[in-house]
Each structure stands twice: as C-alpha cells, then as structure tokens.
Amino acid sequence: MKTYELVDEAWLTAGPDAVWEALLGELSGEARWWVPDNTFEPVDGAPDRVGALTRITVHTKGADKGGKKLRFTARTTAVQRAERLALEYVEGAFRGTAEFTLTRLEDGGTRLVMFFRASPQGQLAFLARLVDVGAMHTRATRAAFGRLNQLLSTGTPAASATGGAR
C-alpha cells in the first residue's frame, strides 16, 4: 500500500499567534483560506483540544464544483499553543498523521510546516495507482498557505508557498 510522506512549508508575514488562530479557525469550519480545495467541520470539540474530531473534505474539482469528494476524520493528538498541532487520521480516505508546526522567525513572521504521513484507503487506494495524490496534496497545501499569507497580511486570500515529497 502506498504511503505518502510530505512536507509543505511557508514563510508567513504574520506572527505565530495570528497564524495559530487562523489555523484553528479553518479547522473549525471558517473556510477562509483552504477553500476551494479542502473544507473542515468540527465533529466533537474544538480542534485545539486533544481528542477532538474534525471531518475533512477534499474537493477534487473545488468546493461546490462537483467532482469526487474525499472525506476523512482527524483526531487531535497533541496541542502546543502557537507551536504545534498534531492529528491522527482515524477513518475515511486516509489513515496516518498530520502535524502543523509554527516557528517564530527573526523578522516576526512565522515558518508554518505541515508534515503529512498517510496511506490512502478504499477507492482512494485504487485511484492512487493512477493519479499522483501526493502532488495534488502539495499543490493544494501550497495554494492554501499562500492564501493564508495573503489573508493575514491584507485581509484578502491569494497564493504562494513551497514544499513537496520528502
């Protein structure tokens, strides 16, 4: 079975507290910067509470544009405010982990890193033989991080970040 180990990162102009609040807002369903690729819905508790469950939907053609939707559920496993949020994918299209780390930069900005280690399940496992799911994940994450940076610096989402397979 295919396992993805991806690292995507961005250097954001906002400080860790603002990035942390934006990340928690997104995971709480605000849909401000990870859309149109992903949407999030809290199922049981706030995403910054260990044990909380969050439903993630990947919109393969963009939210509200039809196309295949990949759904999976993440359980929060570790929280260090404005530094680290760890998740475990417990059901649905992926099994594995994700971890967000935030590091304050000398200029007051933040280095945001997402570590994604997961295996596709069910129909997605078959699809992963035909489509580069890892590349799709990295493209969507880079675009989301770019929109986050734009949102935090101007209040309006846009694009640009780096990352990929490790």
Side-chain angles (χ1 to χ4, degrees), residues 12 38 45 54 62 72 78 82 86 109 122 151 158:
L12 307 172
N38 295 357
T54 302
F72 51 108
L151 177 69

Side-chain angles (χ1 to χ4, degrees), residues 2-149:
K2 177 86 174 150
T3 298
Y4 298 98
E5 291 193 23
L6 307 172
V7 179
D8 293 292
E9 60 189 340
W11 287 264
L12 307 172
T13 57
D17 288 329
V19 174
W20 180 257
E21 292 304 319
L23 176 61
L24 292 182
E26 199 69 9
L27 295 176
S28 295
E30 287 182 359
R32 296 183 67 204
W33 53 272
W34 217 302
V35 180
D37 302 302
N38 295 357
T39 54
F40 303 86
E41 175 189 356
V43 175
D44 178 26
D48 61 342
R49 184 181 59 83
V50 172
L53 297 173
T54 302
R55 184 169 298 116
I56 302 161
T57 302
V58 176
H59 304 269
T60 59
K61 291 189 177 183
D64 300 325
K65 300 235 187 292
K68 181 106 174 113
K69 292 182 181 12
L70 307 173
R71 292 185 173 88
F72 51 108
T73 302
R75 176 182 294 122
T76 301
T77 58
V79 177
Q80 291 171 273
R81 189 185 184 324
E83 292 181 14
R84 177 176 175 255
L85 180 69
L87 308 168
E88 177 184 11
Y89 300 133
V90 295
E91 67 180 21
F94 287 102
R95 295 292 188 290
T97 62
E99 182 174 323
F100 296 91
T101 61
L102 293 76
T103 306
R104 180 178 299 279
L105 301 173
E106 288 182 19
D107 66 2
T110 303
R111 178 177 177 244
L112 173 62
V113 181
M114 180 184 186
F115 301 93
F116 176 86
R117 296 172 201 92
S119 298
Q121 304 294 305
Q123 292 179 341
L124 183 58
F126 175 76
L127 182 63
R129 296 181 201 167
L130 308 172
V131 176
D132 189 345
V133 173
M136 292 170 62
H137 180 280
T138 290
R139 271 193 306 278
T141 302
R142 286 180 184 178
F145 286 178
R147 288 188 295 271
L148 172 60
N149 194 42

